[in-house]
Every structure is written in structure tokens, then in C-alpha cells.
Amino acid sequence: MRLTKGTDIALRIAMRLAVLGDTATPTTREVAEAVAVPYTHAAKVVSRLQHLGVVEARRGRGGGLALTASGRTESLGRLLRELEGAGDVVGCEDDPPCPLRGACRLRGALRQAQEAFYAALDPLTIDDLVGPPTAALLLGLPQTPTKES
């Protein structure tokens, strides 16, 4: 199974914010640069993470991004289910639809495999992902200095 690019970006952003903790509240642009993703993609993902209650975003002077307490302890499997949506692994109903869809057993088997994938991630949290040696690597990512007005 392959995760969407949006989910990949969401995990990178959440992990970066997890290691920064309460010591820094970077902007979306700063986090995008640190995890090497386009700002426009990061902004869309931050909005989604905010909607899910994983990230808090404050505007204005002294604002920035922070991982919420529930974002730190949320089940990784549940988070991925939310980010990925309820779609099938294969496009049985695409245009044109698969001619086997009426009697295919593959679709059900792939759904089971997808759920097993998520279930394997259920016990993990973002905090679990950022332990050593990952934390040091995430903290070493380049930071863009904040402009002072």
C-alpha cells in the first residue's frame, strides 16, 4: 500500500512539530522549508491537520504552528485512516469500471489488507515516531530565521 503525498507531508509536519515541542512555533512556510515540501501543499495539509485537531495554528505576531496534546498521543492508524479517507486500494469503480467488479474477490482481500496495515499502526503515536535517532535528525533540519518587524 502506498500513502498519498498529502499524508506523507502531514506526517513529516507533525513529526517536525513534535520534536520542536513548546520551544518554538514555526510558521507554515518555515515548516514547509524544513521538511522540503512546497508551501502551498504544506498550507493545505496544515489546514487539514488543524481540522482534525492535530495542529494548532495561531495567526499574527507570536503566532505559528504547534502540535496539540491529542496530536501527540493520537493513534497513528486512526490518523492515517482520517487522512487517507475511505477509498479502496484499487479503482474498481473508475471510468471505465473494472469488468470483474461483479464477482471479484480481490477487492475484499485488499480491503482486509488495508485494514491490517492501519491496525498495525494503531498502537503507535507521533511521539513514538520521533524518538532517537529520529529526533536528532528532525532537530537538525534547516530552520529559516523568523523575520523581525
Side-chain angles (χ1 to χ4, degrees):
M1 185 175 151
R2 184 176 177 98
L3 299 176
T4 63
K5 189 69 171 168
T7 298
D8 175 42
I9 292 169
L11 293 173
R12 288 193 224 177
I13 289 171
M15 291 170 67
R16 173 67 173 180
L17 294 175
V19 297
L20 293 176
D22 297 331
T23 62
T25 53
T27 65
T28 301
R29 188 168 307 280
E30 290 168 343
V31 172
E33 289 174 8
V35 298
V37 298
Y39 168 75
T40 54
H41 294 359
K44 184 188 276 188
V45 167
V46 164
S47 176
R48 178 85 170 118
L49 289 172
Q50 188 176 9
H51 176 75
L52 293 173
V54 174
V55 169
E56 180 183 0
R58 294 178 300 267
R59 292 179 179 254
R61 188 176 194 110
L65 304 176
L67 198 62
T68 63
S70 63
R72 291 182 172 286
T73 59
E74 178 74 43
S75 160
L76 192 57
R78 192 190 87 65
L79 180 59
L80 290 179
R81 285 180 189 92
E82 290 288 333
L83 292 169
E84 289 290 306
D88 287 325
V89 175
V90 292
C92 301
E93 303 300 328
D94 288 349
D95 188 26
C98 176
L100 305 177
R101 75 185 182 284
C104 182
R105 297 173 68 191
L106 176 62
R107 187 179 195 177
L110 290 174
R111 279 188 184 147
Q112 281 184 309
Q114 181 181 33
E115 183 50 37
F117 173 79
Y118 292 139
L121 297 171
D122 279 339
L124 298 172
T125 66
I126 294 295
D127 272 349
D128 293 331
L129 298 179
V130 298
T134 308
L137 178 67
L138 285 163
L139 287 170
L141 295 175
Q143 285 186 319
T144 305
T146 305
K147 293 179 185 174
E148 305 220 6
S149 301

